[in-house]
């Protein structure tokens, strides 16, 4: 295993996995608390459609992924704000539409393109130095903004109207959160893939949710779980030659079920039932 | 006789509504600094809408609303932070991972503004607010594990942590047992007396607040009265809003007359 670590590609993938794991799990806390889980899923498929279009017309795939991702979250947020439609309905429609577009774009390509599929399922072991630096810069940007607006983000997740009433620019903060979700999805596309990025956002935060009643602890636990499972997933994938994305997600899921089983919240409830 | 205290909230023939519906029509009402106002009216009479309007969450479709001498559509976040608000009881997600102290700290966020992290001073203010509502020993408990009445106290503490000039409480006693109801109203009275807050208290329990408030505001889409309890709690005024079954007993209690009593 130590010989593995000597390879450049291995160091790059571990670094990429750690950054993506940390980023997804931290933003995941706000996504889970604000009830935006489905938005994460919708955005990743929209971003994938952007990637496919990029390869089809020869534009930078990540650029189009950002455009598609941002368009999806902004439309969703706007629709929710207007109260015209429930969030899950609008995102459901956008989700399936962009997925259809993605499949259409792939179908229009004259030849089989393995790289496109890399974005679907993730290929962390093939991260290039340029991609790594893009991931690095964007991760620092997103994490920085999350940290900068952490108190406002917590408040709108708890109760957006109350936040607005007590002097928080709640609508702007909500759109900031949506924008950061879209950016996170795009950053993670190459590493975990469009299908699994959603899991990386959702699972560490939901696991931490089982374990604590405090917001600060929730974020720390989530980040720890996210980073550890990502790094461990990459190592396992390299050692046993299994795909990295699914390995990371299955590791995280395992921890999730362990946490559900040993959750202090669950234990307390069980005790109450027994005491009757 | 003009009131010597400065006006703090001023409705000027203001109407508020939602698409296809007018919730409040032609309201003219001035609330002065330090007043204790009770707001009463049947379900759907626009009481919650009145609160949301004062908070600047809803702009008038007609007329004007001034808060702290500032038109409400120009209301800045800074002003909102000066109004403490206890919303009408919604569903509190019992699983939401937040402690009592963290909940109260949220009251500091608006006052602090963006980019400022809450510090020791804010913690002290939050703890003091918790002490004021008698919940300081619960600071590290999960909010979801408290009873409804305890949660209500925590939310009042959050409003207090804003160090507001105005306190708006939308049915703070709904769903509480009678002793706790009484305690919460006592607490509000105490806060009004001690901290000299302007209080807007919305409730259906007219009897509990009648001896405490300076003025009663009676709403049913329109403003039917805004005067001292003695002036408002008269059969001919209440009947316009609540119907003829409402009677006032010789002990001055407002009750609904038993229909069968007469037959
Ligand atoms: N968000 C909304 N969208 C549409 N109509 C609304 C909305 N909120 C309130 N209304 C309508 O405005 C009117 C006044 O509602 P409001 O909530 O202010 O009444 P209320 O006096 O607080 O009633 P309650 O005693 O039941 O709390 C009602 O007819 C209600 O249906
Ligand atoms: Mg109401």
């Amino acid at each position: 295993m130590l010989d593995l670590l000597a390879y450049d590609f291995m160091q790059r993938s571990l670094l990429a996995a750690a950054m993506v794991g940390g980023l997804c799990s931290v933003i995941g806390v706000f996504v889970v608390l604000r009830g935006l889980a489905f938005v994460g899923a919708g955005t990743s498929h929209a971003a994938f459609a952007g990637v496919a279009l990029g390869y089809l017309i020869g534009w930078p795939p990540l650029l189009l992924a950002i455009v598609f991702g941002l368009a999806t979250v902004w439309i969703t947020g706007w629709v929710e704000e207007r109260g015209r439609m429930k969030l899950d309905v609008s995102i459901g429609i956008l989700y399936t539409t962009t997925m259809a577009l993605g499949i259409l774009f792939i179908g229009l390509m004259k030849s089989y393109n393995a790289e496109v599929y890399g974005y679907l399922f993730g290929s962390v072991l093939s991260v290039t130095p340029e991609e790594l630096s893009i991931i690095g810069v964007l991760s620092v940007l997103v994490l920085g903004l999350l940290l900068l607006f952490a108190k406002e983000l917590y408040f709108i997740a708890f109760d957006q109207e109350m936040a607005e009433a007590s002097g928080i620019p709640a609508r702007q903060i909500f759109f900031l959160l949506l924008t950061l979700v879209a950016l996170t999805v795009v950053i993670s596309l190459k590493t975990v893939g469009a299908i699994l990025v959603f899991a990386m956002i959702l699972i560490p935060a939901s696991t931490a949710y089982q374990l604590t009643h405090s917001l600060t602890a929730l974020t720390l636990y989530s980040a720890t779980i996210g980073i550890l499972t990502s790094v461990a997933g990459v190592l396992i994938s390299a050692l046993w030659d299994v795909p990295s994305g699914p390995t990371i997600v299955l590791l995280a899921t395992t921890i999730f079920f362990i946490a559900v089983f040993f959750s202090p919240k669950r234990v307390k409830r069980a005790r109450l039932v027994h005491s009757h | 006789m003009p009131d010597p205290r400065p006006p703090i909230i001023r409705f000027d023939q203001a109407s508020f509504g939602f698409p296809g519906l007018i919730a409040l029509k032609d309201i003219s009402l001035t609330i002065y600094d330090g007043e204790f106002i009770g707001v009463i009216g049947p379900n759907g009479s626009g009481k919650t809408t009145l609160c949301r309007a004062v908070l600047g969450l809803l702009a008038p479709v007609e007329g004007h609303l001034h808060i702290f001498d500032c038109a409400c559509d120009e209301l800045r976040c800074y002003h909102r932070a000066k109004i403490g608000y206890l919303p009408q009881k919604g569903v509190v997600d019992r699983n939401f991972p937040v402690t009592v102290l963290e909940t109260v700290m949220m009251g500091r966020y608006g006052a602090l503004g963006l980019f400022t992290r809450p510090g020791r001073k804010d913690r002290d203010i939050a703890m003091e607010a918790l002490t004021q509502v008698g919940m300081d020993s619960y600071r590290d408990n999960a909010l979801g594990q408290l009873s409804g009445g305890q949660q209500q106290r925590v939310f009042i503490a959050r409003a207090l942590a804003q160090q507001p000039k105005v306190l708006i409480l939308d049915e703070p006693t709904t769903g509480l047992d009678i002793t706790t109801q009484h305690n919460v109203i006592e607490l509000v009275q105490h806060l009004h007396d001690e901290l000299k807050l302007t209080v807007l208290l919305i409730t259906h329990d007219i009897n509990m607040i009648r001896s405490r408030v300076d003025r009663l505001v009676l709403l049913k889409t329109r403003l039917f009265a805004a005067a001292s309890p003695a002036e408002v709690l008269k059969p001919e005024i209440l009947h316009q809003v609540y119907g003829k079954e409402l009677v006032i007993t010789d002990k001055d209690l407002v009750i609904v007359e038993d229909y069968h009593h007469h037959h």
Side-chain angles (χ1 to χ4, degrees):
Chain A
M1 182 158 133
L2 283 177
D3 336 329
L4 261 180
L5 293 180
Y7 291 109
D8 278 355
F9 86 90
M10 199 59 211
Q11 293 170 356
R12 277 200 304 273
S13 2
L14 284 175
L15 207 56
M19 285 193 289
V20 167
L23 183 62
C24 286
S25 53
V26 171
I27 200 158
V29 169
F30 301 103
V31 168
V32 167
L33 293 180
R34 181 61 178 73
L36 296 176
F38 205 34
V39 173
T43 316
S44 55
H45 290 84
F48 177 72
V51 168
L53 182 63
Y55 277 104
L56 182 66
I57 62 176
W59 284 30
L62 281 184
L63 185 74
L64 286 174
I66 290 186
V67 172
F68 271 61
L70 285 180
T72 306
V73 291
W74 285 342
I75 293 173
T76 316
W78 183 77
V79 169
E80 185 185 67
E81 200 163 76
R82 290 292 156 122
R84 295 258 172 83
M85 226 186 274
K86 277 198 170 169
L87 196 81
D88 55 351
V89 177
S90 64
I91 194 73
I93 291 168
L94 285 171
Y95 184 169
T96 42
T97 310
T98 48
M99 199 60 214
L101 281 176
I103 297 169
L104 182 71
F105 295 149
I106 292 176
L108 288 176
M109 287 174 206
K110 293 286 170 287
S111 55
Y112 174 81
N113 190 329
E115 273 182 71
V116 179
Y117 287 93
Y119 282 96
L120 203 50
F121 299 110
S123 52
V124 66
L125 296 177
S126 64
V127 168
T128 65
E130 299 80 63
E131 283 165 343
L132 185 65
S133 39
I134 295 178
I135 293 177
V137 170
L138 287 178
S139 299
V140 169
L141 178 77
V142 174
L143 278 174
L145 286 168
L146 283 177
L147 218 61
L148 199 58
F149 295 102
K151 71 181 200 299
E152 285 80 15
L153 287 163
Y154 278 132
F155 204 166
I156 69 156
F158 185 53
D159 186 342
Q160 182 152 343
E161 173 152 312
M162 189 58 224
E164 186 167 6
S166 73
I168 305 279
R171 292 174 46 213
Q172 289 86 332
I173 296 288
F174 179 53
F175 271 89
L176 174 74
L177 177 59
L178 288 173
T179 305
L180 295 180
V181 169
L183 279 178
T184 303
V185 163
V186 173
I187 297 168
S188 318
L189 270 189
K190 179 74 192 235
T191 323
V192 273
I195 295 174
L196 300 178
V197 59
F198 176 46
M200 284 308 295
I201 290 180
L202 204 57
I203 299 174
S206 316
T207 310
Y209 195 98
Q210 301 296 324
L211 299 175
T212 175
H213 290 298
S214 154
L215 286 172
T216 325
L218 179 70
T219 313
L220 291 177
Y221 289 0
S222 180
T224 311
I225 296 168
I227 294 172
L228 286 184
T229 51
S230 302
V231 170
V234 170
L235 286 175
I236 292 175
S237 124
L239 279 176
W240 288 309
D241 196 23
V242 284
S244 57
T247 313
I248 296 174
V249 171
L250 289 176
L251 263 182
T253 318
T254 310
I255 297 183
F256 173 74
F257 281 113
I258 297 174
V260 169
F261 196 74
F262 290 105
S263 161
K265 296 181 181 176
R266 203 184 96 103
V267 171
K268 252 172 209 129
R269 235 169 271 143
R271 267 199 218 122
L272 281 179
V273 172
H274 283 300
S275 66
H276 279 295
Chain B
M1 190 188 75
D3 199 299
R5 293 172 292 188
I8 202 158
I9 298 165
R10 204 151 40 85
F11 289 87
D12 186 8
Q13 297 187 317
S15 299
F16 301 86
F18 303 94
L21 175 132
I22 293 288
L24 283 173
K25 179 127 187 76
D26 210 11
I27 306 289
S28 289
L29 171 68
T30 305
I31 295 170
Y32 297 92
D33 194 11
E35 269 197 297
F36 189 172
I37 304 267
V39 182
I40 56 174
N43 291 132
S45 57
K47 303 182 296 298
T48 299
T49 306
L50 189 85
C51 300
R52 299 185 66 236
V54 174
L55 287 158
L57 297 174
L58 201 70
V61 288
E62 265 169 40
H64 305 278
L65 166 59
H66 290 262
I67 305 149
F68 304 125
D69 253 327
C70 151
C72 76
D73 36 2
E74 292 158 16
L75 204 65
R76 289 282 143 253
C77 289
Y78 165 79
H79 290 105
R80 282 187 198 168
K82 291 266 143 225
I83 307 177
Y85 176 44
L86 178 76
Q88 187 164 9
K89 205 180 219 149
V91 245
V92 178
D93 176 3
R94 284 199 172 267
N95 278 319
F96 196 97
V98 65
T99 65
V100 167
L101 184 58
E102 283 172 338
T103 309
V104 178
M105 282 296 276
M106 287 180 188
R108 297 300 306 148
Y109 294 175
L112 282 173
L114 298 173
F115 313 119
T116 315
R117 301 197 148 267
R120 167 172 240 120
K121 187 170 142 268
D122 302 292
R123 257 177 97 87
D124 292 345
I125 294 172
M127 275 315 291
E128 194 187 316
L130 269 176
T131 311
Q132 262 160 346
V133 300
M135 290 292 293
D136 43 326
S137 56
Y138 291 85
R139 51 178 276 183
D140 294 322
N141 283 56
L143 183 72
Q145 290 173 345
L146 303 185
S147 76
Q150 291 171 324
Q151 285 180 355
Q152 206 71 324
R153 282 166 180 272
V154 173
F155 289 137
I156 295 177
R158 178 175 62 186
L160 290 178
Q162 283 176 234
Q163 301 189 311
K165 291 183 73 64
V166 181
L167 194 58
I168 300 180
L169 306 153
D170 196 350
E171 301 193 25
T173 55
T174 302
L176 308 184
D177 69 62
I178 36 176
T179 339
T180 313
Q181 279 190 18
H182 184 81
N183 291 343
V184 167
I185 296 293
E186 288 269 278
L187 171 67
V188 173
Q189 167 110 57
H190 171 79
L191 295 170
H192 168 257
D193 297 346
E194 292 295 307
L195 306 177
K196 309 278 176 263
L197 296 182
T198 309
V199 176
L200 246 75
L201 173 65
I202 288 140
T203 183
H204 290 294
D205 198 334
I206 301 170
N207 296 316
M208 190 153 60
I209 60 161
R210 58 174 302 157
S211 62
R212 301 172 186 273
V213 297
D214 300 321
R215 280 198 290 163
L216 272 179
V217 166
L218 179 63
L219 284 179
K220 189 174 173 183
T221 309
R222 289 171 178 278
L223 182 73
F224 279 79
S228 71
E231 286 169 89
V232 176
L233 299 181
K234 289 179 180 155
E236 62 272 24
I237 294 182
L238 292 179
H239 285 172
Q240 298 176 310
V241 166
Y242 287 103
K244 294 259 189 280
E245 291 85 4
L246 208 73
V247 293
I248 299 178
T249 66
D250 22 340
K251 288 203 175 111
D252 268 356
L253 286 178
V254 180
I255 60 163
V256 179
E257 187 181 41
D258 187 351
Y259 174 77
H260 301 285
H261 199 74
H262 280 296
H263 301 273

